[in-house]
Amino acid sequence: MKRWRIPILVAVLGGIAVGALYVYNVVSDRTIAKQAYVPRPVTITPDVVMLQQYLRIDTSNPPGNETAGARFLAAQIERAGVHAEVIESAPGRGNVYARIRGKRPGEGLLLLNHIDVVPADNKGWTKPPFAGEQKLNALYGRGALDMKGIAICQLEAFLAVARRKSMPERDVIFLGTADEERGGTMGIVWLLAHRPDIFEGVRYALNEGGINESYTERPSYVGVEIGSKMVVRTELWAPSRAAMQQARIALEPYFSPSEPDRILPEVRLFLHDLAPTRIVQRRWLDDIDRTIAEGKFWDMERPYKEATQNIVWAMQISGDAHGATMPVALFNLPDEDPDRRLAWLAETVRPYGARIEKVVEKTGPTTLSPRNTPLFALIASEAHRQWGNVPVGTEVLVAWYNDSRYLRPRGIVCYGLWPFQVDFYQTQTIHLNDERVRIDWFQQGVQLMTRLVVRYATER
């Protein structure tokens, strides 16, 4: 009988471990679903009502239908006595543009946001995605975070400048665009080609892309986005699935390279800014050059490594009797020549009979936005006023991007700013079910953005 005691004990302990893991997973899921914060009483202010109304306009892309959202935003601007223009790049694909003229040419501030949202249905949502309903102290709806909530913060700031009646020192421009979620072809790209007057005299742009890290009721790091990877999207063709599979295998070492390509000065600064907020990664991020010299590059987490690398993404292979195709995306360092990268891709897959069938999208090269500007200093000042002595640093996006990638090559300094606090559980709802914003934090964001924009527009 003794010989069975150890196996039985192992089985019992294993069962306890499995049960504990199950309970942990269930509790974790419930924590995320409840958003993991203590509900606080909130007052529904006009800016919250405006966001509710905006969330109720379904601007899912595809198909688009941004014109309804553009007209809503234009109506708010017209009520403040400023002309707002709804510009359609195609039927139903509306953009909205308004400008308050200032005294100083060439110093304009562009408040850039996108009207479209990714599609959503009722499946899995606590509240309907286009109802703008409140639950506890959160407002639910597709676009609450990406990016209708930020857009209303920008709109309220624009209206605050308009209500002052006197001419500001600098131009303030409000621009809501179509099609950002599908590449910007019917939005910012079309406007740059057909309405260049919108961008005349613009020195700075405020857009999405910033990251506020929060582990408690206050942010622990305010990351102001200064740039992102530039993207080249292609479709490869090969005579067979087997040939395409060989081409894919040849690309696999570049999915997660073992060495950095090069360290841009702004990336070095970004990693250094972030280091004090990290525990395990602090030493490696604080001095990336020392980390590489010590052979510790592989001890860094993947997103930080990718800030120094050109990355390849290969999607699913499809094929028929006429050959096989595979979408491939190149996420390049900002200053990388996209044509050089395309030539590299073509040469890498050529031995396997594969070739580039078409280029779907090509961006770059560009620069990252500098940190040492008056607007960045104002952002830091207002963040400190809102949240105390919180670290304010830079953010470089390595896995996603926004419409600022089209403006930086034209010399416009672009910053991504999330003006309100967002916790981890909220960020997990972007593009997914139960997207939501805390009402009290959103209201603080309206205040921060308003102070920031008014200061930039009016201070001499």
Side-chain angles (χ1 to χ4, degrees):
M1 190 68 182
K2 290 182 179 179
R3 64 194 178 102
W4 293 103
R5 288 180 180 175
I6 292 177
I8 291 172
L9 180 61
V10 171
V12 170
L13 292 176
I16 292 172
V18 171
L21 181 61
Y22 172 78
V23 171
Y24 172 80
N25 288 335
V26 170
V27 171
S28 296
D29 289 344
R30 288 177 178 173
T31 299
I32 292 174
K34 292 180 179 179
Q35 196 167 319
Y37 65 79
V38 177
R40 299 178 182 278
V42 294
T43 301
I44 302 302
T45 48
D47 47 14
V48 177
V49 174
M50 189 182 298
L51 178 56
Q52 283 182 304
Q53 293 171 339
Y54 194 21
L55 292 174
R56 290 168 183 163
I57 303 172
D58 184 350
T59 54
S60 297
N61 184 19
N65 297 327
E66 296 94 344
T67 294
R71 287 174 177 163
F72 170 80
L73 297 171
Q76 316 310 312
I77 295 170
E78 293 279 353
R79 290 193 188 100
V82 178
H83 175 61
E85 185 179 359
V86 174
I87 307 165
E88 286 193 323
S89 55
R93 309 307 302 272
N95 306 268
V96 60
Y97 162 63
R99 182 186 290 253
I100 301 171
R101 296 283 181 183
K103 301 173 184 176
R104 305 185 187 186
E107 297 185 18
L109 172 62
L110 174 67
L111 305 178
L112 177 63
N113 57 87
H114 63 86
I115 301 170
D116 62 320
V117 298
V118 298
D121 56 36
N122 288 330
K123 185 178 180 180
W125 282 73
T126 302
K127 298 290 184 181
F130 297 103
E133 291 187 16
Q134 177 187 355
K135 180 181 178 182
L136 302 178
N137 62 329
L139 195 60
Y140 284 63
R142 173 59 80 229
L145 297 177
D146 183 20
M147 68 170 294
K148 290 183 175 180
I150 300 175
I152 295 301
C153 291
Q154 293 181 347
L155 179 60
E156 288 286 359
F158 183 86
L159 297 177
V161 176
R163 293 182 185 119
R164 295 174 68 90
K165 301 301 181 183
S166 58
M167 177 178 283
E169 293 295 312
R170 302 167 186 86
D171 288 11
V172 180
I173 304 98
F174 183 89
L175 182 62
T177 64
D179 201 37
E180 190 274 346
E181 297 289 0
R182 304 282 286 187
T185 302
M186 305 302 293
I188 192 77
V189 175
W190 189 93
L191 292 169
L192 284 164
H194 295 87
R195 289 294 305 271
D197 58 295
I198 290 174
F199 307 95
E200 290 177 0
V202 173
R203 180 181 181 186
Y204 297 112
L206 286 178
N207 193 9
E208 64 179 349
I211 296 177
N212 293 346
E213 297 184 353
S214 300
Y215 300 105
T216 61
E217 286 290 301
R218 298 177 65 182
S220 57
Y221 181 74
V222 177
V224 180
E225 184 248 334
I226 60 170
S228 65
K229 291 288 187 71
M230 302 300 281
V231 182
V232 177
R233 298 189 186 279
T234 70
E235 186 172 284
L236 302 187
W237 179 90
S240 67
R241 291 184 66 94
M244 186 64 81
Q245 185 61 45
Q246 290 300 309
R248 180 187 176 92
I249 291 171
L251 292 172
E252 284 181 358
Y254 307 99
F255 293 177
S256 182
S258 59
E259 299 293 337
D261 282 296
R262 61 185 179 281
I263 314 298
L264 300 179
E266 297 86 354
V267 169
R268 183 180 290 108
L269 175 63
F270 158 53
L271 298 176
H272 177 76
D273 284 345
L274 202 59
T277 69
R278 299 298 186 262
I279 298 175
V280 176
Q281 294 284 304
R282 180 176 302 168
R283 172 174 171 78
W284 315 133
L285 301 180
D286 184 62
D287 187 340
I288 181 63
D289 298 299
R290 180 189 64 206
T291 298
I292 295 171
E294 293 178 355
K296 299 296 185 179
F297 182 73
W298 264 106
D299 285 338
M300 293 172 58
E301 292 180 0
R302 184 171 180 174
Y304 309 135
K305 290 187 294 187
E306 289 189 357
T308 71
Q309 299 169 321
N310 294 312
I311 301 297
V312 177
W313 284 12
M315 291 33 161
Q316 185 174 356
I317 298 173
S318 58
D320 54 29
H322 302 288
T325 60
M326 181 176 69
V328 171
L330 306 176
F331 283 75
N332 300 329
L333 293 173
D335 62 347
E336 192 71 48
D337 179 356
D339 292 323
R340 188 187 74 84
R341 291 285 289 155
L342 282 168
W344 169 85
L345 176 62
E347 183 62 23
T348 303
V349 301
R350 183 185 57 78
Y352 311 97
R355 66 171 185 264
I356 299 174
E357 183 75 1
K358 62 180 176 180
V359 177
V360 179
E361 178 183 357
K362 184 174 72 171
T363 59
T366 188
T367 59
L368 296 172
S369 296
R371 174 176 175 163
N372 57 337
T373 67
L375 182 59
F376 194 101
L378 281 180
I379 292 172
S381 172
E382 289 303 330
H384 291 149
R385 178 176 174 180
Q386 189 75 50
W387 296 304
N389 193 29
V390 59
V392 179
T394 57
E395 189 77 31
V396 178
L397 305 179
V398 297
W400 57 292
Y401 45 84
N402 53 51
D403 280 348
S404 294
R405 71 189 191 275
Y406 297 114
L407 300 182
R408 289 189 176 101
R410 289 165 169 79
I412 297 175
V413 176
C414 301
Y415 295 127
L417 174 64
W418 216 326
F420 47 82
Q421 195 171 339
V422 183
D423 65 25
F424 169 80
Y425 302 105
Q426 291 170 338
T427 64
Q428 300 308 292
T429 68
I430 297 173
H431 287 196
L432 298 174
N433 292 343
D434 279 353
E435 186 175 355
R436 57 192 179 267
V437 60
R438 269 185 57 163
I439 293 173
D440 52 337
W441 287 353
F442 165 73
Q443 291 167 321
Q444 293 172 12
V446 171
Q447 296 166 7
L448 187 154
M449 184 68 79
T450 298
R451 293 195 306 265
L452 171 64
V453 173
V454 169
R455 284 185 64 185
Y456 181 79
T458 61
E459 286 186 356
R460 298 182 179 180

